[in-house]
Amino acid sequence: MKDVVLLEKSELTAGSTWHAVRKTPQNCLTTYFHPGINLKKIHYYSIKLYEKLEEETGQAVGFHQPGSIRIATTPVRVDEFKYQMTRTGWHATEQYIIEPEKIQEMFPLLNMNKILAGLYNPGDGHIDPYSLTMALAAGARKYGALLKYPALVTSLKPRSDGTWDVETPQGSVRANRIVNAAGFWAREVGKMIGLEHPLIPVQHQYVVTSSIPEVKALKRELPVLRDLEGSFYLRQERDGLLFGPYESQEKMKVQDTWVTNGVPPGFGKELFESDLDRIMEHIEIAMEMVPVLKKADIINVVNGPITYSPDILPMVGPHQGVRNYWVAVGFGYGIIHAGGVGKYLSDWILHGEPPFDLIELDPNRYGKWTTTQYTEAKARESYGFNNIVGYPKEERFAGRPTQRVSGLYKTLESKCSMGFHAGWEQPHWFYKPGQDTGYRPSFRRTNWFEPVGSEYKQVMQRVGVIDLSPFGKFNIKGQDSIRLLDHLFANVIPKVGFTNISHMLTPKGRVYAELTVSHQSPGEFLLVTGSGSELHDLRWIEEEAVRGRYDVEIKNVTDEFGVLGVAGPHARKVLQKLTSEDLSDDAFKFLQTKSLKFSNIPVTAIRISYTGELGWELYHRREDSAALYDVIMNAGQEEGIDNFGTYAMNALRLEKAFRAWGSEMNCDTNPLEAGLEYFVKLNKPADFIGKQALKQIRAKGLTRRLVCLTLATDDVDPEGNESVWWNGKVVGNTTSGSYSYSIQKSLAFAYVPIELSQVGQQVEVELLGRNYPATIIQEPLVLTEQTRNQLQKNGGKDKM
């Protein structure tokens, strides 16, 4: 695409880049490492691009690649390194755990007293951001882009056909789409069209020393060092050292005046006043770790702005609610993301779908609940937690709860450990008197393990209640509603009064989303998706409705309705006490939906449960949640009713071999390899999105398949994204996992080559530095309640 224009407010390298480039020392680190699976691809592409930029553009970029070492000084940090290594085998990125002796050899200036291990990435290093920017600009011009500066954008005007008028003092530009990549000006740009992007500038300082004799005497450049407990990075800068700390959330400084009053209009190449007192404890730790620092003189202290989103990850992609408005904002680590994100966005714009799944960067992960106060609290926490241990099932508590709490929050908050889901608080697990109620993150089984087992038994043997209010919920109606949904979904449209599970696919036949579709009355539907997919899915639906000119009304009712799940063998018995409506198997069939009342509370009831047991999801007004919960709990006393949370539900759905969007399926997978053939109707008349691509995929044949594994482990269970080994090689990866309380073994889904996908095949799964034997099993491990009933009716008890 040649018709691309960059409008730069002042000049290239102003803003956060200037903070990195000021004077001679540069502070732009480049690393292959990232704990996120697909973000590794962004880092990888950036580095590979930078390696060839000088050859391609003729512009030197000042790229140093001495490697980097993260050092572990505690046993739990060593576990974290092992945890990260389990996720590196199926990636192109080179990464190794190295022993203290190797660390000393590579970084001879280190005090080795406390060092237990290192995580080493060859090819890491640092780059001159000024030269890099100029090389990227030269390359853009070479291929036809127009770079205009100074060109201040004064207003953005959307037109009815989806195009934009972009106003500048030099005139107007008509654009088919716009990308907000304005750094710490991104909030101001967003406000021009009524959007409040959740971004906060934080102050980041780094220190540069004078020449140090021991550094000058080195024969090769030191690798970049990251002391994770000390929360600082350190690298060689000519014959001295450059040192950058991340202060605690109590000490770090947010530039909150920019949030309340806007960025000062003339700000571009200025810096903030330095404050060594704020980082002194980190300097002292660094001097203990690298003793030559004690004798070094500080010649420069740089303090400039970096833009943070609440969770420190950038926001990249199209924005829900605004046509053809894209963002690439909130980069706490701009240079290492720049090349990869540029490629990612370009591919998405050119081809109409993302090249791979990066929902963690979706700008639509935030919504109206994301207030300025929340954004500031989370930015403080994210900055202070820059080098904190990254546990599985991690929770961070700043800024919580938001205004987005279910009607049960006050009832349940003292009884359970809550998890954060798109602004909502949702019970992960419940504790009983005498149990450890604290947040105890671990790489191994921890204090939630036994309580979750009790909740599992509760649902399998009696009846349990779960708060599912965070689900994303949309009403769709209008004369073209059936036609739109038939175009969007690979499944058929359910009959009135029924529900099914349906998938939206991309044009290339990958799984963009999974929703339940309930046909409530002729032409009127309730669509339900996972909490983290709410605006991600809504944007796609809205865009297709506009593109195809469908006459429909789409309404997001997520915040209006609460949802309670009731599941277990006694679920019908409990709920029948509360309604005159016949809930028997013949009168209220599986996947049927009805509007009724429980104790005079209006409810839309769907006979479905992600546990795979007899159950209903009850959709109701949010203000009725507490009352509905109370009547259900009171009605179930005789049946021993109790609560359960999402951890138990995950164990239950894995045993039933239910796939989860974001794990077993996403924009990296197609529904055939994910085992979703049952939900994909290639013979339906409608030409749904991805249909032709799927036919080609089926004709060509699959190269891999999703399988179910049992693992013989000790005190560790798979989480997903671990490497799968066979015959001494990495051949695939897990997608999610849990402990199976029914067979008392670990259970996981995994993608493996088609030739290794047979039941009984032996493989290995890497967990915390050890390969555990695993066996592919016939799925599901536990039959669903519906299947068990059918088998009993058909006289198949022995088979069951």
Side-chain angles (χ1 to χ4, degrees):
M1 187 175 289
K2 303 298 183 187
D3 296 336
V4 179
V5 181
L6 172 72
L7 300 176
E8 163 60 55
K9 176 181 176 290
S10 55
E11 60 183 280
L12 297 178
T13 74
S16 294
T17 312
W18 178 249
H19 164 219
V21 70
R22 184 176 183 265
K23 299 188 180 177
T24 305
Q26 318 99 27
N27 184 30
C28 278
L29 303 181
T30 55
T31 179
Y32 282 114
F33 176 85
H34 197 282
I37 297 305
N38 276 351
L39 270 164
K40 287 183 195 290
K41 295 181 183 177
I42 295 289
H43 287 216
Y44 184 86
Y45 183 87
S46 290
I47 289 177
K48 292 304 177 188
L49 173 68
Y50 301 163
E51 285 176 348
K52 66 183 183 185
L53 261 186
E54 182 173 355
E55 178 187 343
E56 188 174 341
T57 66
Q59 168 77 46
V61 295
F63 197 9
H64 295 245
Q65 294 181 276
S68 76
I69 305 172
R70 286 167 169 76
I71 56 174
T73 55
T74 64
V76 73
R77 193 66 79 171
V78 177
D79 273 354
E80 182 187 26
F81 288 178
K82 291 176 181 176
Y83 182 76
Q84 288 303 330
M85 284 302 298
T86 68
R87 285 152 172 73
T88 208
W90 50 289
H91 280 271
T93 300
E94 274 193 278
Q95 186 169 286
Y96 310 97
I97 291 180
I98 56 176
E99 299 297 320
E101 296 75 20
K102 183 67 175 175
I103 298 171
Q104 173 112 69
E105 177 189 327
M106 297 171 71
F107 204 118
L109 306 182
L110 267 178
N111 174 0
M112 300 298 297
N113 289 346
K114 298 178 181 177
I115 295 176
L116 303 177
L119 194 65
Y120 173 53
N121 287 96
D124 283 11
H126 54 97
I127 197 166
D128 171 12
Y130 178 87
S131 300
L132 173 62
T133 304
M134 294 307 172
L136 290 169
R141 289 190 187 98
K142 176 181 174 182
Y143 293 110
L146 175 64
L147 280 60
K148 297 184 73 169
Y149 51 90
L152 172 70
V153 173
T154 54
S155 77
L156 299 171
K157 295 177 180 175
R159 298 170 61 87
S160 59
D161 63 355
T163 62
W164 291 84
D165 284 331
V166 183
E167 305 286 348
T168 77
Q170 293 84 18
S172 179
V173 180
R174 175 73 53 82
N176 289 326
R177 62 180 62 77
I178 52 177
V179 183
N180 180 351
F184 56 64
W185 295 98
R187 286 185 78 250
E188 270 69 13
V189 173
K191 282 179 179 179
M192 292 179 186
I193 56 173
L195 294 177
E196 285 282 344
H197 295 309
L199 300 168
I200 296 263
V202 301
Q203 293 189 14
H204 179 64
Q205 300 187 95
Y206 64 93
V207 173
V208 185
T209 75
S210 61
S211 178
I212 300 171
E214 292 86 345
V215 176
K216 190 173 184 178
L218 292 170
K219 298 213 169 25
R220 63 171 183 257
E221 184 176 353
L222 293 168
V224 177
L225 185 77
R226 290 175 174 86
D227 182 344
L228 303 175
E229 307 309 325
S231 193
F232 68 84
Y233 57 83
L234 181 143
R235 69 166 180 80
Q236 187 171 336
E237 173 55 45
R238 297 190 176 179
D239 294 334
L241 296 172
L242 184 151
F243 156 82
Y246 290 95
E247 310 99 275
S248 67
Q249 55 186 307
E250 294 78 26
K251 286 193 174 183
M252 60 83 67
K253 192 165 182 181
V254 168
Q255 197 62 23
D256 44 21
T257 57
W258 287 17
V259 178
T260 53
N261 306 324
V263 182
F267 197 95
K269 290 195 171 182
E270 294 75 23
L271 293 169
F272 304 126
E273 190 174 335
S274 60
D275 183 358
L276 279 176
D277 289 342
R278 217 165 72 215
I279 61 173
M280 190 50 69
E281 66 180 287
H282 298 277
I283 293 175
E284 290 170 355
I285 294 169
M287 288 193 298
E288 182 185 346
M289 188 60 72
V290 185
V292 296
L293 273 174
K294 295 176 184 175
K295 301 179 287 183
D297 294 325
I298 293 174
I299 59 169
N300 207 3
V301 182
V302 179
N303 183 14
I306 297 178
T307 309
Y308 264 44
S309 70
D311 61 7
I312 209 174
L313 292 174
M315 288 172 268
V316 178
H319 205 286
Q320 186 271 329
V322 192
R323 288 177 69 191
N324 295 321
Y325 173 76
W326 298 59
V327 294
V329 300
F331 289 89
Y333 311 101
I335 292 292
I336 189 55
H337 286 150
V341 165
K343 169 69 169 163
Y344 178 80
L345 273 181
S346 300
D347 285 354
W348 193 344
I349 288 169
L350 286 167
H351 305 305
E353 65 178 277
F356 49 86
D357 194 83
L358 271 180
I359 195 172
E360 62 267 48
L361 303 193
D362 190 347
N364 307 299
R365 67 189 185 272
Y366 300 116
K368 292 177 181 175
W369 53 270
T370 318
T371 62
T372 300
Q373 293 78 12
Y374 171 83
T375 301
E376 179 169 342
K378 296 306 285 188
R380 283 187 173 279
E381 179 185 59
S382 293
Y383 187 91
F385 284 5
N386 232 291
N387 293 305
I388 198 170
V389 174
Y391 289 104
K393 294 183 169 68
E394 181 188 56
E395 288 292 321
R396 296 188 176 187
F397 298 97
R400 294 170 56 182
T402 71
Q403 65 198 33
R404 204 178 208 194
V405 292
S406 83
L408 288 185
Y409 177 69
K410 289 183 178 175
T411 304
L412 300 179
E413 65 171 322
S414 63
K415 301 176 182 178
C416 66
S417 176
M418 290 281 188
F420 189 75
H421 297 264
W424 299 88
E425 300 290 329
Q426 185 175 29
H428 277 174
W429 60 279
F430 288 82
Y431 28 75
K432 301 296 183 188
Q435 290 180 335
D436 182 358
T437 63
Y439 172 59
R440 307 275 185 260
S442 176
F443 294 103
R444 295 173 169 81
R445 294 172 191 159
T446 182
N447 60 335
W448 53 260
F449 181 75
E450 296 297 337
V452 169
S454 299
E455 293 172 34
Y456 169 90
K457 289 176 185 170
Q458 177 71 34
V459 175
M460 290 297 289
Q461 298 172 7
R462 293 181 290 278
V463 57
V465 178
I466 184 170
D467 185 4
L468 299 172
S469 297
F471 280 163
K473 316 161 198 90
F474 319 127
N475 276 139
I476 298 184
K477 62 182 178 180
Q479 68 177 29
D480 290 338
S481 59
I482 292 175
R483 207 161 60 85
L484 170 63
L485 297 187
D486 222 9
H487 172 65
L488 282 169
F489 290 110
N491 206 344
V492 295
I493 304 306
K495 297 174 185 175
V496 175
F498 284 87
T499 296
N500 70 13
I501 294 165
S502 295
H503 299 85
M504 295 194 296
L505 308 183
T506 72
K508 290 183 180 175
R510 295 180 292 186
V511 186
Y512 185 83
E514 178 183 76
L515 299 90
T516 57
V517 177
S518 299
H519 202 162
Q520 295 180 295
S521 62
E524 185 167 351
F525 296 86
L526 172 66
L527 272 56
V528 179
T529 187
S531 56
S533 305
E534 175 195 349
L535 299 181
H536 169 270
D537 295 2
L538 182 62
R539 181 199 67 79
W540 186 270
I541 294 167
E542 288 174 337
E543 284 198 3
E544 285 302 320
V546 170
R547 184 180 287 118
R549 298 182 179 178
Y550 294 94
D551 184 1
V552 292
E553 180 186 322
I554 302 167
K555 188 179 179 186
N556 185 0
V557 294
T558 300
D559 289 347
E560 295 176 29
F561 290 95
V563 189
L564 285 180
V566 182
H570 298 317
R572 179 182 288 116
K573 190 175 178 183
V574 171
L575 292 178
Q576 191 66 79
K577 298 176 188 180
L578 303 173
T579 184
S580 57
E581 186 86 29
D582 186 355
L583 302 183
S584 68
D585 197 43
D586 291 333
F588 203 143
K589 296 180 173 61
F590 179 58
L591 292 180
Q592 200 165 358
T593 175
K594 293 185 180 184
S595 293
L596 46 87
K597 289 186 177 181
F598 287 120
S599 289
N600 220 32
I601 299 170
V603 163
T604 295
I606 304 174
R607 193 177 151 199
I608 192 172
S609 176
Y610 202 37
T611 66
E613 294 303 302
L614 173 67
W616 279 263
E617 289 176 0
L618 308 176
Y619 293 77
H620 56 275
R621 293 176 307 192
R622 193 165 157 192
E623 57 267 30
D624 290 339
S625 290
L628 181 62
Y629 173 82
D630 286 344
V631 298
I632 292 171
M633 296 304 281
N634 289 332
Q637 290 304 300
E638 190 179 331
E639 289 74 22
I641 198 167
D642 209 344
N643 299 293
F644 71 104
T646 58
Y647 286 2
M649 185 166 69
N650 187 54
L652 287 156
R653 71 96 184 168
L654 274 160
E655 288 189 350
K656 307 301 194 311
F658 291 169
R659 279 75 169 141
W661 194 90
S663 300
E664 283 68 57
M665 52 179 147
N666 57 18
C667 288
D668 295 327
T669 58
N670 69 64
L672 304 182
E673 66 189 4
L676 299 171
E677 296 96 331
Y678 177 80
F679 305 102
V680 175
K681 309 301 191 221
L682 283 171
N683 59 348
K684 80 172 188 175
D687 189 22
F688 61 85
I689 300 170
K691 183 177 185 178
Q692 300 311 315
L694 267 193
K695 286 182 175 178
Q696 291 175 9
I697 290 168
R698 188 175 66 174
K700 192 186 248 186
L702 301 177
T703 59
R704 64 173 190 164
R705 185 178 286 282
L706 188 73
V707 296
C708 204
L709 300 166
T710 56
L711 291 81
T713 65
D714 33 48
D715 64 342
V716 59
D717 298 300
E719 291 281 335
N721 298 320
E722 295 97 355
S723 295
V724 176
W725 292 75
W726 180 75
N727 207 19
K729 294 180 180 178
V730 175
V731 293
N733 62 280
T734 61
T735 56
S736 60
S738 173
Y739 182 75
S740 167
Y741 292 91
S742 72
I743 61 166
Q744 299 181 10
K745 283 184 178 182
S746 292
L747 192 62
F749 274 125
Y751 277 104
V752 298
I754 202 85
E755 63 271 17
L756 296 177
S757 64
Q758 294 79 20
V759 171
Q761 174 70 52
Q762 300 286 314
V763 292
E764 295 175 325
V765 175
E766 183 183 352
L767 301 172
L768 290 184
R770 180 179 160 194
N771 285 10
Y772 290 89
T775 305
I776 296 176
I777 63 164
Q778 178 70 49
E779 60 178 78
L781 181 67
V782 177
L783 296 175
T784 65
E785 174 265 345
Q786 180 68 10
T787 307
R788 298 195 302 262
N789 277 352
Q790 286 297 117
L791 284 172
Q792 282 186 329
K793 284 179 183 176
N794 298 335
K797 197 170 183 181
D798 293 339
K799 183 181 177 185
M800 184 180 74

